[in-house]
C-alpha cells in the first residue's frame, strides 16, 4: 500500500533532492541503530517523507555527516544525524511494515509476507518496546480494516478511515506537544492516508478484478467494467484531489523551521503527478476478462 509518495531530482531540484537523500540515508542508519540491520530493508520514500515533515516543525537544525555504507562503499554521502524524529520514523516504518505483512499472512497465507515477518521480527521487538501504544494502535486499525475487507465492505469511507487513522496517529507523535502544530499534522496525515488508500485501490483495480481480490470499488460490482472505470475515474479524481487539497491546506497552517520548499514541491507537485500518472494509466488500460468454459479447455 506504500510507494505513492515519490520524489525525483527532476521534480525537487538538485539542492532539495540532496536534502531528501540525506534524510533517507539517516533514516536507513536509524533503522539499523534502533531496530535491526535487517529492518533497513523496510525503508521507503513514504516513511522518509514522514521524517522530513516532522523534522521540519522541530527547532533542531539539520545536521549531516558524510559517510560510506554497504550500498555506497566508494563515495561518501551526506547522512542526517542527531534527529529524534529519525529514530521515531525508523521505528514507525518497521512497525507498519511488519504489521502489514502480518495482516497479509493472516488473510492470504502469503509466503512472501511470512518471510518478511521473519526478517523484521527482531527489529519489530525493539521498536515495539519503544513505542508500545503506537504498535497496538496500528495493529488494531489494520485488524479493523481486515475485518471490513473480509466482509466485502462497499462503503469506501469506512475502509479509508481505518488506514487514514493510522497516518493521522503517526503524523502527530507525542513529542510534538504544541496543539497548533499537532492538529494540522494530524489532519495532514489523515488526508494523506485517505489519498493513499484510494489511489492504491484504483491502481490495483484491473489486477484485483482478474484475481478476485478485495477492492472497495469492485465489492458488489457487476456490469460493464470499462464503462464503470470511466465513471469511477470521473468521480474518484475529485475525491483524490479533495484529499490532497485538504492535506495541502493543513500544511499551509504549519510554519516549518526548515525543508519548506522541499515539502512544498512534494505535496503540491510529486503527489499530484503520481495521481495523474495512475489515473491516466487506468484510463488507457483495457481489462481482459478471463475466459471460461470450452474456449479455454476447462470442463
Amino acid at each position: 500500500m506504500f510507494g505513492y509518495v515519490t520524489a525525483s531530482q527532476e521534480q525537487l531540484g538538485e539542492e532539495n533532492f540532496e536534502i531528501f537523500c540525506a534524510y533517507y540515508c539517516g533514516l536507513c542508519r536509524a533503522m539499523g541503530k534502533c531496530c535491526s540491520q535487517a529492518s533497513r530493508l523496510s525503508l521507503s520514500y513514504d516513511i522518509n517523507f514522514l521524517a522530513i515533515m516532522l523534522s521540519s516543525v522541530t527547532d533542531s537544525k539539520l545536521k549531516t555527516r558524510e559517510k560510506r555504507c554497504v550500498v555506497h562503499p566508494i563515495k561518501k554521502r551526506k547522512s542526517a544525524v542527531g534527529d529524534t524524529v529519525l529514530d521515531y520514523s525508523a521505528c514507525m516504518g518497521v512497525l507498519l511494515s511488519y504489521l502489514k505483512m502480518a495482516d497479509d499472512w493472516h488473510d492470504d497465507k502469503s509466503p512472501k509476507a511470512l518471510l518478511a515477518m521473519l526478517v523484521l521480527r527482531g527489529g519489530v521487538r525493539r521498536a515495539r518496546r519503544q513505542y508500545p501504544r503506537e504498535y497496538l494502535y496500528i495493529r488494531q486499525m489494520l485488524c479493523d480494516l481486515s475485518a471490513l475487507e473480509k466482509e466485502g465492505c462497499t462503503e469506501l469511507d469506512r475502509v479509508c478511515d481505518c488506514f487514514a487513522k493510522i497516518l493521522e496517529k503517526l503524523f502527530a507523535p507525542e513529542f510534538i506537544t504544541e496543539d497548533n502544530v499537532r492538529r494540522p499534522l494530524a489532519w495532514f496525515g489523515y488526508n494523506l492516508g485517505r489519498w493513499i488508500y484510494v489511489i492504491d485501490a484504483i491502481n490495483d483495480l484491473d489486477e484485483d478484478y482478474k484475481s478476485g481480490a478485495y477492492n472497495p470499488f469492485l465489492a458488489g460490482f457487476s456490469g460493464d467494467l470499462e464503462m464503470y472505470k470511466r465513471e469511477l475515474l470521473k468521480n474518484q479524481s475529485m475525491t483524490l484531489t479533495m484529499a490532497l487539497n485538504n492535506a495541502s491546506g493543513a500544511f499551509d497552517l504549519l510554519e516549518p523551521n526548515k525543508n519548506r520548499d522541499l515539502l512544498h514541491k512534494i505535496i503540491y507537485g510529486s503527489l499530484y503527478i503520481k495521481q495523474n500518472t495512475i489515473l491516466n494509466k487506468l484510463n488507457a488500460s483495457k481489462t481482459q476478462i478471463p475466459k471460461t468454459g470450452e474456449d479455454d479447455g476447462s470442463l
Side-chain angles (χ1 to χ4, degrees), residues 19 22-23 26 55 59-67 78-83 86 258-259:
I19 296 172
Y23 274 100
S55 179
D59 294 330
S60 63
K61 292 184 178 180
L62 174 62
K63 299 177 182 178
T64 62
R65 291 179 185 170
E66 292 194 351
K67 298 182 177 182
K78 285 186 178 180
S79 176
V81 294
D83 197 328
L86 288 174
K258 52 185 176 295
N259 307 324

Side-chain angles (χ1 to χ4, degrees), residues 134-154:
E134 286 80 358
Y135 172 88
L136 292 174
Y137 186 85
I138 296 171
R139 187 177 70 174
Q140 184 59 57
M141 288 300 102
L142 287 176
C143 284
D144 292 348
L145 177 58
S146 179
L148 289 172
E149 292 178 345
K150 282 183 179 178
E151 72 179 43
C153 181
T154 59

Side-chain angles (χ1 to χ4, degrees), residues 22 41 51 72 74 77 86 108 113-114 118 137 143 168 171 173 188 203 236 251-252 257 260 262 288:
L41 295 172
H72 304 106
I74 300 175
R77 292 173 178 260
L86 288 174
D108 306 320
L114 180 60
L118 293 173
Y137 186 85
C143 284
E168 180 182 37
F171 272 85
F188 179 91
N203 194 36
Q236 294 309 315
F251 173 71
D252 289 340
N257 297 311
R260 176 186 286 275
L262 167 58
Q288 298 297 317

Side-chain angles (χ1 to χ4, degrees), residues 26 48 58 75 80 85 103 116 151 160 167 178 186 233 254 263 271 297:
N48 194 45
T58 64
K75 184 178 179 181
V85 169
D103 187 58
E151 72 179 43
C160 274
L167 292 199
E178 299 87 350
L233 287 169
L254 296 168
L263 290 167
L271 295 181

Side-chain angles (χ1 to χ4, degrees), residues 46-263:
D46 309 78
I47 297 301
N48 194 45
F49 176 74
L50 170 67
I52 297 171
M53 173 68 89
L54 296 183
S55 179
S56 74
V57 297
T58 64
D59 294 330
S60 63
K61 292 184 178 180
L62 174 62
K63 299 177 182 178
T64 62
R65 291 179 185 170
E66 292 194 351
K67 298 182 177 182
R68 294 188 180 91
C69 67
V70 175
V71 179
H72 304 106
I74 300 175
K75 184 178 179 181
K76 289 184 177 180
R77 292 173 178 260
K78 285 186 178 180
S79 176
V81 294
D83 197 328
T84 303
V85 169
L86 288 174
D87 295 346
Y88 167 81
S89 301
C91 290
M92 293 306 104
V94 174
L95 290 178
L96 194 53
S97 295
Y98 178 84
L99 289 170
K100 182 62 177 71
M101 292 301 105
D103 187 58
D104 289 347
W105 167 248
H106 182 265
D107 290 346
D108 306 320
K109 295 297 182 286
S110 165
K112 181 180 178 182
L114 180 60
L115 178 61
M117 288 171 62
L118 293 173
V119 170
L120 295 176
R121 185 172 56 183
V124 83
R125 278 201 294 263
R126 294 180 65 186
R128 181 181 179 179
R129 282 197 296 269
Q130 296 176 72
Y131 297 99
R133 281 179 288 190
E134 286 80 358
Y135 172 88
L136 292 174
Y137 186 85
I138 296 171
R139 187 177 70 174
Q140 184 59 57
M141 288 300 102
L142 287 176
C143 284
D144 292 348
L145 177 58
S146 179
L148 289 172
E149 292 178 345
K150 282 183 179 178
E151 72 179 43
C153 181
T154 59
E155 299 176 50
L156 181 63
D157 282 343
R158 290 181 68 195
V159 289
C160 274
D161 193 59
C162 292
F163 188 74
K165 284 181 176 177
I166 293 175
L167 292 199
E168 180 182 37
K169 180 78 169 176
L170 266 56
F171 272 85
E174 293 180 358
F175 59 80
I176 295 179
T177 57
E178 299 87 350
D179 194 52
N180 63 327
V181 177
R182 284 179 58 85
R183 283 189 176 184
L185 283 173
W187 185 234
F188 179 91
Y190 182 84
N191 282 282
L192 180 64
R194 285 186 64 89
W195 181 82
I196 288 175
Y197 191 89
V198 173
I199 200 71
D200 182 66
I202 291 175
N203 194 36
D204 292 345
L205 191 71
D206 287 337
E207 183 179 340
D208 290 341
Y209 180 77
K210 293 174 184 177
S211 67
Y214 173 80
N215 188 302
F217 297 120
L218 295 174
F221 166 76
S222 62
D224 186 302
L225 182 63
E226 297 307 321
M227 184 180 296
Y228 175 65
K229 280 161 62 173
R230 287 193 293 271
E231 189 67 23
L232 180 70
L233 287 169
K234 182 172 68 174
N235 293 333
Q236 294 309 315
S237 62
M238 296 175 61
T239 300
L240 289 165
T241 300
M242 183 177 296
L244 285 185
N245 287 345
N246 286 339
S248 58
F251 173 71
D252 289 340
L253 294 175
L254 296 168
E255 296 181 0
N257 297 311
K258 52 185 176 295
N259 307 324
R260 176 186 286 275
D261 186 57
L262 167 58
L263 290 167

